[in-house]
């Protein structure tokens, strides 16, 4: 699905990612954990195509295509989705209009006809249920005046609507209480199939109780310093990041 | 401080004066005042503080070789698309009210007259609000306006459908025109009025529009100004509105086109508990100049005013907003708010936004804010990350920006028309 090789990236001349190697196959969930400042969000931003980041070395292939040469919109149209850590409020643009535009631009990219109004509404209804998003929110402006939890649920709702093949969840658990966390995780689990993959970026093990990863990677100082199965997350939770820090600080 | 009159200004005035007919629907004294003002001050240039960004003396000299009044008649079919289905449409063609092109007045309580009907009448209301000694273009209108339209809504009549006045110009050669209106809402009257400006000719037009609006006690005027005069028009549009007690004036001005568009919009709150709203939206491209000057003149206590102006500036064009709130000594308990927000899309465009508060009363609530920025990069990336392309994403964001003003339009077909117009422009 996605193949990241020796990825280096800088922001304002400062190198943040220092050689990431990662292979994610269809049907897999990978968790990326790591202390603050390790480069987790930079990795998600670089993959989504945020312009503030400069890739200085390495390559990323997404379903066989060179991801780094694509515009952010083409990455999304190819099936990549980023659930933002801090979803943006866009006053004046309704959620519905926003999603309809997105779906139709993706369909047009694939050479498909625009979605029928009634099919679109049925889809909205079905996916709202999945993340228990209040119907009123979908008619409001994108994220405007939403609570932190509503914003995160709206991200998962958008993901459900767009049906990406590869989704990155960037600290989707931050700022969520346990009930909202369960709803979000439940949404993700229902969307998971053998044909898509997830990269779950998180600071805490908590989310991984509900979204069970196939692999866990620890990112530290711009590199994946340790990979393992879900037990690694538990280990990390018990010992904290200090051991990792002290071990790799000295190298 | 008024700058000295230039030689070009005198030439322009002489040329216009030669082709103008004598104005006889305004009191003789006022006309004399107008000529005196123009003799002394002329057409404002960049040295004139109020016309700093809108040097009409220079613009007219550069753009017009001659000032003719060579206009042509137009067929009803040529203006059909500007009519609103749900409204009574009135047409002012080349400065004259044209009954043949206008719809029949099918409701009670409205009186329409040609301004020339007031000729020889010593009690004429025309120019009772717009005084010659206040501004060159008011003086220009008082000196040279040949005709115009008078619209009155009688006592306690709530007009059930909107009225639209379409000011159509169609010149054969470079021409000047000075259309004029006087809108009078008697006590307890209510009207929704659209004033639309179009130029369907192939020659340049300098249009000096002036409208006086008198809103009496408890009356309410909802008004829309739609400017779409195209790249051959250089216009000054003056609106002077007097609000008596408990009256409401609510204007939304949408500037869709016009090479140079200068708007002088003055609301004078002369009666207590009156409310004035001025909203505006302009988006400019090419080498356009759109200059909105507003004045909220609070003369008495307990009044409220609100202003929202938004601009989107592209290419080498310029947008100006100068909003003055004047709270006089007696105007205690005034609530006056103003906001101007602008988006600059290009490096070569310019926005000059200036709020001006002059407050002489001590118990008032006044606020103003102005902002100018680019399209929000974070929002743009968010939309792109969902598969929306650059052009569509910008369009969505600009539409969102504009919607706050467009949503104030309550005539559904007009609102849709403006939305369609914006979709093709962005």
């Amino acid at each position: 699905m996605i193949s990241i090789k020796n990825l280096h990236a800088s922001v304002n001349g400062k190198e943040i990612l220092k050689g990431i190697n990662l292979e994610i196959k269809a049907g897999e969930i990978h968790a990326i954990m790591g202390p603050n400042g390790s480069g987790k969000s930079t990795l998600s931003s670089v993959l989504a195509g945020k312009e503030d980041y400069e890739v200085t070395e390495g390559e990323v292939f997404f379903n066989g295509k060179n991801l780094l040469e694509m515009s952010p919109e083409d990455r999304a149209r190819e099936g990549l989705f980023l659930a933002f850590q801090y979803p943006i409020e866009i006053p004046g643009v309704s959620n519905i209009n926003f999603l309809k535009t997105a779906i139709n631009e993706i369909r047009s990219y694939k050479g498909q006809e625009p979605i029928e109004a009634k099919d679109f509404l049925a889809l909205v209804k079905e996916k709202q249920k999945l993340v228990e998003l209040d119907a009123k929110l979908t008619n409001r402006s994108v994220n405007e005046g939403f609570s932190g939890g509503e914003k995160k649920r709206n991200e998962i709702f958008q993901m459900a609507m767009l049906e990406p093949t590869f989704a990155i969840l960037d600290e989707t658990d931050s700022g969520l209480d346990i009930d909202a966390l369960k709803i979000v995780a439940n949404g993700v689990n229902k969307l998971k199939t053998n044909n898509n993959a997830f990269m779950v970026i998180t600071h805490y093990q908590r989310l991984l109780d509900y979204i069970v990863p196939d692999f866990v990677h620890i990112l530290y100082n711009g590199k994946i310093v340790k990979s393992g199965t879900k037990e690694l997350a538990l280990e990390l939770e018990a010992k904290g990041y200090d051991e990792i820090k002290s071990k790799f600080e000295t190298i | 401080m008024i700058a000295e009159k230039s030689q070009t200004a005198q030439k322009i005035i002489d040329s216009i004066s030669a082709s103008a007919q004598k104005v006889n629907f305004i009191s003789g004294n006022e006309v004399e005042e107008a000529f005196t003002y123009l003799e002394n001050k002329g057409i404002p240039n960049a040295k004139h503080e109020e016309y700093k960004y809108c040097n009409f003396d220079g613009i007219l000299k550069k753009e017009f070789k001659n000032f003719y009044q060579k206009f042509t008649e137009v067929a009803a079919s040529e203006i059909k698309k500007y009519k609103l289905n749900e409204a009574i449409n009135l047409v002012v063609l080349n400065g004259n009210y044209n009954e043949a092109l206008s719809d029949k007045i099918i409701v009670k309580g409205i009186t329409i007259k040609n301004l020339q009907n007031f000729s020889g009448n010593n009690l004429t209301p025309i120019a009772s609000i717009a005084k010659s000694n206040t501004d060159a273009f008011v003086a220009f209108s008082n000196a040279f306006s040949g005709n115009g339209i008078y619209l009155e809504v009688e006592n306690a009549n709530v007009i059930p459908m909107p009225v639209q006045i379409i000011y159509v110009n169609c010149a054969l050669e470079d021409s000047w025109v000075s259309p004029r209106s006087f809108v009078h809402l008697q006590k307890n009257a209510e009207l929704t009025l659209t004033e639309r400006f179009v130029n369907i000719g192939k020659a340049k037009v300098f249009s000096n529009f002036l409208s006086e609006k008198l809103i009496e006690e408890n009356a309410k005027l909802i008004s829309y100004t739609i400017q779409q005069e195209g790249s051959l028009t250089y216009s000054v549009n003056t609106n002077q509105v007097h609000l008596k007690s408990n009256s409401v004036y609510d204007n939304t001005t949408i500037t869709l086109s016009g090479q140079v568009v200068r708007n002088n919009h003055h609301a004078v709150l002369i009666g207590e508990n009156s409310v004035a709203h001025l909203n505006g939206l302009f988006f400019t491209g090419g080498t356009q100049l759109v200059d909105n000057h507003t004045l909220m003149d609070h003369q008495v206590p307990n009044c409220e005013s609100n202003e929202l102006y938004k601009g989107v500036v592209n290419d080498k064009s310029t947008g100006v907003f100068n909003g003055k709130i004047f709270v006089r000594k007696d105007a205690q308990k005034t609530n006056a708010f103003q906001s101007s927000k602008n988006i600059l899309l290009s490096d070569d465009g310019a926005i000059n936004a200036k709020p001006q508060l002059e407050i002489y009363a001590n118990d008032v609530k006044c606020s103003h804010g102005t902002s100018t920025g680019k399209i929000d990069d974070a929002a743009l990336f968010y939309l792109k990350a969902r598969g929306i392309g650059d052009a569509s994403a910008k369009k969505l964001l600009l539409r969102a920006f504009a919607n706050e003003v467009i949503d104030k339009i309550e005539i559904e077909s007009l609102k849709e028309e403006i939305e369609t117009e914006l979709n093709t422009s962005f």
Side-chain angles (χ1 to χ4, degrees):
Chain A
M1 172 99 20
I2 194 155
S3 167
I4 304 170
K5 284 182 187 145
N6 191 31
L7 183 64
H8 290 251
S10 314
V11 61
N12 298 328
K14 187 173 183 277
E15 189 170 53
I16 310 281
L17 300 183
K18 300 171 181 170
I20 304 269
N21 291 291
L22 190 60
E23 192 81 32
I24 298 178
K25 295 193 174 67
E28 293 178 350
I29 296 178
H30 288 239
I32 309 277
M33 301 184 73
N36 287 330
S38 58
K40 301 191 299 291
S41 283
T42 299
L43 178 60
S44 66
S45 295
V46 167
L47 293 178
K50 202 163 183 203
E51 277 153 15
D52 312 347
Y53 298 86
E54 192 196 348
V55 174
T56 51
E57 223 184 311
E59 55 185 33
V60 181
F61 279 86
F62 180 41
N63 291 327
K65 291 181 183 167
N66 187 342
L67 185 80
L68 300 176
E69 283 180 354
M70 293 180 204
S71 64
E73 54 269 37
D74 280 352
R75 296 179 195 204
R77 292 161 179 172
E78 288 284 342
L80 183 142
F81 182 93
L82 169 64
F84 282 62
Q85 183 179 2
Y86 303 109
I88 310 293
E89 295 194 15
I90 312 182
V93 177
S94 78
N95 248 329
I96 287 291
N97 189 19
F98 160 56
L99 277 171
K100 202 170 181 186
T101 308
I103 284 178
N104 282 336
E105 293 229 352
I106 292 169
R107 289 175 71 99
S108 151
Y109 179 80
K110 291 177 179 167
Q112 297 166 339
E113 293 290 309
I115 190 167
E116 295 276 339
K118 82 170 163 28
D119 294 342
F120 177 73
L121 289 176
L123 194 65
V124 167
K125 228 173 171 182
E126 178 200 332
K127 304 298 185 185
Q128 262 170 357
K129 235 182 262 168
L130 193 75
V131 288
E132 299 175 34
L133 192 72
D134 192 334
K136 273 182 239 149
L137 294 180
T138 53
N139 290 318
R140 293 232 307 257
S141 290
V142 178
N143 294 322
E144 194 188 25
F146 285 27
S147 71
E150 284 167 345
K151 281 181 185 170
K152 295 298 176 79
R153 267 192 275 171
N154 197 24
E155 293 293 292
I156 305 303
F157 169 62
Q158 291 172 31
M159 182 172 86
M161 290 291 292
L162 301 179
E163 296 180 332
T165 49
F166 176 57
I168 306 162
L169 273 55
D170 189 3
E171 303 211 17
T172 300
D173 51 336
S174 67
L176 288 187
D177 60 33
I178 196 73
D179 292 331
L181 187 77
K182 279 183 191 167
I183 292 168
V184 164
N186 186 35
V188 171
N189 289 329
K190 281 187 181 157
L191 293 170
K192 187 187 174 295
T193 67
N194 288 331
N195 300 318
N196 59 22
F198 290 85
M199 181 196 266
V200 181
I201 294 173
T202 182
H203 197 73
Y204 304 103
Q205 196 270 335
R206 193 177 68 152
L207 178 67
L208 304 180
D209 285 340
Y210 303 98
I211 302 175
V212 181
D214 300 295
F215 299 97
V216 175
H217 310 278
I218 296 167
L219 191 63
Y220 182 65
N221 201 15
K223 279 185 171 176
I224 290 175
V225 294
K226 203 169 181 183
S227 293
T229 52
K230 63 182 179 190
E231 286 73 25
L232 180 59
L234 293 168
E235 193 184 314
L236 210 55
E237 182 79 359
K239 295 182 185 165
Y241 286 111
D242 285 347
E243 192 191 65
I244 299 280
K245 283 186 186 172
S246 59
K247 189 173 165 193
F248 290 96
E249 211 94 64
T250 51
I251 293 174
Chain B
M1 159 88 204
I2 310 261
E4 217 172 280
K5 186 177 60 169
S6 75
Q7 285 197 333
T8 57
Q10 189 57 51
K11 272 191 192 164
I12 293 166
I13 291 165
D14 288 346
S15 158
I16 286 169
S17 192
S19 54
Q21 51 184 309
K22 195 175 177 305
V23 177
N24 53 7
F25 49 81
I26 293 173
S27 84
N29 285 346
E30 196 58 49
V31 175
E32 226 168 89
E33 280 269 352
F35 275 104
T36 308
Y37 190 91
L38 288 176
E39 280 297 315
N40 293 334
K41 308 280 171 53
I43 307 283
N45 57 30
K47 288 181 194 156
H48 192 299
E49 183 61 28
E50 292 290 308
Y51 289 87
K52 198 155 79 176
Y53 302 107
C54 208
N55 171 5
F56 253 94
D57 185 33
I59 290 165
L60 294 180
K61 182 190 161 203
K62 182 165 168 272
E63 301 295 339
F64 287 81
K65 280 197 195 74
N66 293 294
F67 288 92
Y68 297 121
Q69 283 215 299
K70 292 186 179 167
F71 292 106
T72 179
E73 295 298 312
V74 302
S77 58
E78 290 178 88
I79 50 171
K80 194 167 175 263
K81 66 170 175 176
Y82 301 113
K83 289 195 168 186
L84 293 172
N85 280 335
E86 59 267 74
I88 299 169
N89 297 277
L90 306 171
V91 177
V92 174
L93 176 63
N94 304 323
N96 298 298
Y97 169 49
N98 188 311
E99 209 175 333
L101 292 172
S102 301
D103 297 345
K104 292 215 158 42
I105 309 293
I106 51 168
V107 295
K108 278 186 187 166
I110 296 184
T111 309
I112 307 288
K113 283 182 192 168
N114 221 310
L115 284 190
Q116 285 177 342
N117 286 356
F118 291 91
S119 66
N121 180 353
N122 286 331
L123 298 169
T124 176
I126 318 304
S128 62
I129 293 176
K131 292 295 175 194
S132 302
N133 62 5
T134 54
D135 176 82
F137 295 101
V138 173
F140 185 106
S141 185
N142 286 350
F144 302 127
S145 247
N147 205 349
I149 187 169
Y150 178 86
L151 189 163
E152 184 172 277
V153 183
E154 287 154 28
N155 241 342
N157 274 277
V158 175
I159 306 305
M161 60 197 292
V163 171
Q164 173 173 244
I165 305 175
I166 311 169
Y167 299 89
V168 185
N169 292 319
C170 189
L172 297 167
E173 288 182 65
D174 291 5
S175 292
W176 68 274
V177 64
S178 196
R180 206 171 160 128
S181 73
F182 194 105
V183 178
H184 183 190
L185 266 63
Q186 291 189 357
K187 287 178 189 172
N188 301 303
E190 285 185 26
L191 176 70
T192 298
L193 174 71
T194 300
E195 288 184 284
R196 186 199 287 264
F197 299 84
V198 298
N199 177 3
I200 61 174
K202 300 225 160 32
K204 283 182 182 172
V205 171
F206 165 51
S207 169
N208 179 54
F209 172 74
L210 172 69
S211 179
E212 295 169 273
K213 295 183 168 88
L214 176 60
I215 309 172
E216 305 241 26
E217 285 83 356
N218 290 308
K220 183 177 179 183
L221 178 61
I222 306 290
S223 109
Y224 306 113
T225 305
I226 311 297
Q227 302 176 313
Q228 48 188 152
E229 294 188 281
S231 57
L232 290 171
T233 306
Y234 302 78
S235 70
V236 179
N237 306 274
T238 304
N239 267 282
Q240 296 206 356
V241 186
H242 277 194
L243 288 99
K244 294 199 177 173
S245 57
N246 297 302
S247 70
V248 175
Y249 176 62
D250 191 325
N251 174 264
T252 301
T253 295
I254 312 278
T255 308
L256 297 170
S257 68
Q259 182 55 31
V260 174
V261 181
R262 167 62 183 245
N263 295 320
N264 292 325
H265 215 127
H266 297 181
V268 188
L269 300 113
I270 58 173
E272 283 198 43
N273 298 307
S274 54
V275 177
H277 295 158
L278 297 180
N279 307 301
L281 174 69
F282 58 90
F283 55 102
T284 59
T287 54
Q288 262 186 289
L289 166 63
V290 173
D291 181 344
N292 281 295
H293 267 60
T294 66
L295 167 66
M296 289 287 192
D297 186 354
H298 284 265
Q299 299 198 341
V300 294
N302 299 313
C303 293
E304 185 189 308
S305 70
N306 227 311
E307 270 178 278
L308 173 66
Y309 267 80
K310 289 190 151 187
V312 179
V313 168
N314 203 355
D315 305 329
K316 291 180 175 172
S317 64
T318 304
V320 181
F321 174 76
N322 189 110
K324 187 170 175 179
I325 299 174
F326 192 22
V327 182
R328 300 194 188 229
K329 199 171 86 234
D330 294 333
Q332 300 294 1
K333 306 279 182 195
T334 287
N335 283 325
F337 307 102
Q338 181 190 94
S339 164
S340 141
K341 296 176 188 168
N342 305 287
I343 292 181
L344 194 52
L345 294 176
S346 63
D347 292 336
D348 295 330
I351 288 166
N352 298 293
K354 184 180 166 196
Q356 264 182 296
L357 263 61
E358 271 187 49
I359 301 173
Y360 299 98
N362 53 23
D363 184 13
V364 301
K365 278 186 197 152
C366 292
S367 77
H368 64 86
T370 176
S371 68
T372 296
K374 289 182 172 180
I375 281 192
D376 182 358
D377 279 338
L380 196 59
F381 178 67
Y382 190 75
L383 295 176
K384 288 182 185 180
R386 297 298 178 249
I388 301 175
D390 188 68
S392 308
K394 281 180 178 157
K395 195 180 252 191
L396 268 179
L397 293 174
L398 289 176
R399 277 296 309 279
F401 177 77
N403 275 350
E404 199 183 349
V405 176
I406 294 170
D407 283 346
K408 297 186 185 293
I409 300 176
E410 286 172 10
I411 302 174
E412 212 44 51
S413 69
L414 182 62
K415 188 174 161 185
E416 275 171 29
E417 184 193 322
I418 302 295
E419 282 172 344
T420 310
E421 198 68 39
L422 288 181
N423 273 342
T424 55
S425 305
F426 285 154

